[in-house]
C-alpha cells in the first residue's frame, strides 16, 4: 500500500513544503506518494488564495477638528491587527464633511508582527461627520531685548507651544497689541522695561480654506511679556596729578563704551581736588543724550552705567628754605637772625 500527502510551493518557485499556505497569493500543489521503490510526485495544480474583501467603516458622528476618527471597524481574520490607518477629509469649508480611511496608509499585521495588508482587499466608504471646534490655548511669543535706542523688531507670532496645537497643515496669522507698563498701547517696544503683548485676532488657513471657525480659541488666550533690558555702558575717567598750588585739580576726560548709535554721554558734574592727597575722579552727575534735539533729550534711565574711575592726586610742593648766618661778641643775650629765603617761592598768598 502507498500513502499520499500534499506539498505546496509559490507559483514561481520550486521551494516545495508540506506547510499549507494561508496568505493571499498564487500557489501550486502536488501529491507526494511513498512507494516501495521510491517517492512519486503528482502533476502540480495551480490555485490562488484571493485577498479577503473587507471595509474600514467609521462609526462616530462627530470628530474634533484636527483629530482622526477613533471609532471605526474593520473585519479581520486569524488575529490580524489594523496597526496603522490614516484618514481623508473631503473638505474643511464647513463644519460638516465626509471622511474616509486612506487605504494607502493602512498597515495590517498578523500576530507575529508580519505585514499582511496584501491579504485584504480594502474598501473605505465615506462617512458624513460633524466637525466640532478644536479647543486651544494661544499665547503670543515672548521676547527679550537690550535697549538699542530705536524701536525693536518684534514680530507677531505664536509661541512654540501654541504652534504645536494647530492641526496638521494649518497656518496661523496673529494680530497683537503691545502695551507699555503704564497701559499705553505702543507700536513696538523701544525703551527699557517690561511690556505686555496680547492677541487681538487670529486667522487660520488650511491651504486656501479659512478654518478659523473650527477652533475654539477666544476663551483660551494668554498674554506674554516683552522685556527690554537696560543697556550696559562702561565709563572710564582719566587719572591726573600735579604739585600743590592751591588751585583745584580736575580732569573731565573720559571714554564711554557701548552707547547706542548716535547717543552721547554728557558730564554735568565731576570731582576735583585742591589739597594734598588722592581721591577718585568721580563723575557725580551726568546725562545720556539721544541726539534727537538741539538740547539734551535724556534717555539715561535706559542705561546701566558702570564706572571705572581714575585718580586725582596732589603732591606736596617742594620748597628749599635758606636761613642767614649772624655773629656778635658775647653779651649774655641770645643771638638770633630771622632772615631767610625760599626757593622756589611759596604759593601766591602763602607765607
Amino acid at each position: 500500500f502507498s500513502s499520499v500527502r500534499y506539498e505546496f510551493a509559490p507559483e514561481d518557485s520550486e521551494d516545495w513544503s508540506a506547510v499549507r499556505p494561508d496568505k493571499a497569493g498564487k500557489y501550486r500543489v502536488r501529491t507526494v506518494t511513498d512507494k516501495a521503490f521510491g517517492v512519486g510526485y503528482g502533476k502540480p495544480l495551480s490555485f490562488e488564495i484571493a485577498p479577503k474583501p473587507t471595509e474600514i467603516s467609521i462609526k462616530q458622528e462627530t470628530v474634533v477638528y484636527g483629530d482622526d476618527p477613533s471609532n471605526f471597524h474593520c473585519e479581520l481574520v486569524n488575529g490580524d491587527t489594523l496597526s496603522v490607518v490614516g484618514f481623508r477629509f473631503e473638505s474643511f469649508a464647513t463644519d460638516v464633511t465626509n471622511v474616509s480611511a486612506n487605504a494607502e496608509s493602512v498597515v495590517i499585521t498578523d500576530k507575529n508582527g508580519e505585514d499582511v495588508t496584501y491579504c485584504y482587499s480594502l474598501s473605505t466608504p465615506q462617512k458624513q461627520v460633524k466637525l466640532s471646534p478644536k479647543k486651544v490655548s494661544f499665547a503670543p511669543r515672548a521676547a527679550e531685548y537690550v535697549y538699542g535706542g530705536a524701536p525693536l523688531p518684534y514680530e507677531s507670532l505664536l509661541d512654540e507651544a501654541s504652534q504645536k496645537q494647530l492641526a496638521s497643515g494649518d497656518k496661523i496669522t496673529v494680530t497683537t497689541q503691545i502695551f507699555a507698563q503704564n497701559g499705553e498701547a505702543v507700536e513696538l517696544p523701544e525703551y527699557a522695561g517690561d511690556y505686555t503683548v496680547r492677541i487681538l485676532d487670529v486667522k487660520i488657513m488650511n491651504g486656501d480654506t479659512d478654518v478659523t471657525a473650527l477652533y475654539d480659541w477666544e476663551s483660551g488666550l494668554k498674554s506674554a511679556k516683552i522685556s527690554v533690558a537696560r543697556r550696559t555702558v562702561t565709563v572710564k575717567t582719566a587719572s591726573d596729578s600735579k604739585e600743590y598750588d592751591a588751585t583745584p585739580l580736575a580732569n573731565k576726560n573720559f571714554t564711554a563704551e557701548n552707547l547706542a548709535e548716535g547717543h552721547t554721554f554728557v558730564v554735568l558734574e565731576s570731582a576735583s581736588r585742591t589739597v594734598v592727597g588722592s581721591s577718585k575722579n568721580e563723575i557725580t552727575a551726568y546725562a545720556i543724550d539721544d541726539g534727537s534735539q538741539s538740547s539734551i533729550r535724556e534717555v539715561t534711565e535706559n542705561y546701566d552705567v558702570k564706572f571705572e574711575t581714575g585718580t586725582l592726586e596732589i603732591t606736596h610742593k617742594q620748597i628749599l628754605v635758606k636761613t642767614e648766618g649772624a655773629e656778635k661778641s658775647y653779651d649774655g643775650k641770645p643771638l638770633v637772625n630771622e632772615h631767610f629765603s625760599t626757593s622756589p617761592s611759596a604759593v601766591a598768598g602763602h607765607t
Side-chain angles (χ1 to χ4, degrees), residues 5 16 20 28 32 61 88 103 128 131 149 198 202 225 248 256 293 315 336 339:
R5 61 186 186 275
W16 293 92
R20 185 183 298 271
R28 292 179 297 160
V32 181
E61 304 294 327
R88 286 177 174 160
Q128 187 179 78
L131 297 172
R198 299 190 181 101
V202 304
K225 185 172 78 170
Q293 300 174 3
T315 60
V336 177
H339 297 286

Side-chain angles (χ1 to χ4, degrees), residues 256-272:
E257 299 174 354
N258 201 38
L259 285 170
E261 184 176 356
H263 290 196
T264 305
F265 188 89
V266 180
V267 176
L268 302 177
E269 295 180 13
S270 61
S272 65

Side-chain angles (χ1 to χ4, degrees), residues 8 22 38 58 68 75 123 130 160 217 242 264 311 333:
F8 305 88
D22 61 357
I58 297 167
D68 285 334
E75 184 178 340
S123 62
K130 181 175 177 59
E160 186 176 347
W217 59 272
K242 72 172 182 176
T264 305
T311 302
K333 297 179 182 179

Side-chain angles (χ1 to χ4, degrees), residues 93-152:
T94 67
D95 63 354
V96 176
T97 189
N98 293 319
V99 61
S100 61
N102 179 6
E104 296 176 358
S105 72
V106 172
V107 176
I108 300 172
T109 55
D110 64 14
K111 57 188 175 182
N112 297 317
E114 182 182 349
D115 188 340
V116 292
T117 310
Y118 66 94
C119 294
Y120 292 88
S121 176
L122 294 169
S123 62
T124 56
Q126 287 189 328
K127 166 75 173 180
Q128 187 179 78
V129 296
K130 181 175 177 59
L131 297 172
S132 60
K134 179 179 179 66
K135 191 171 182 64
V136 291
S137 177
F138 288 156
R141 178 179 60 92
E144 294 183 353
Y145 300 97
V146 174
Y147 173 72
L152 295 158

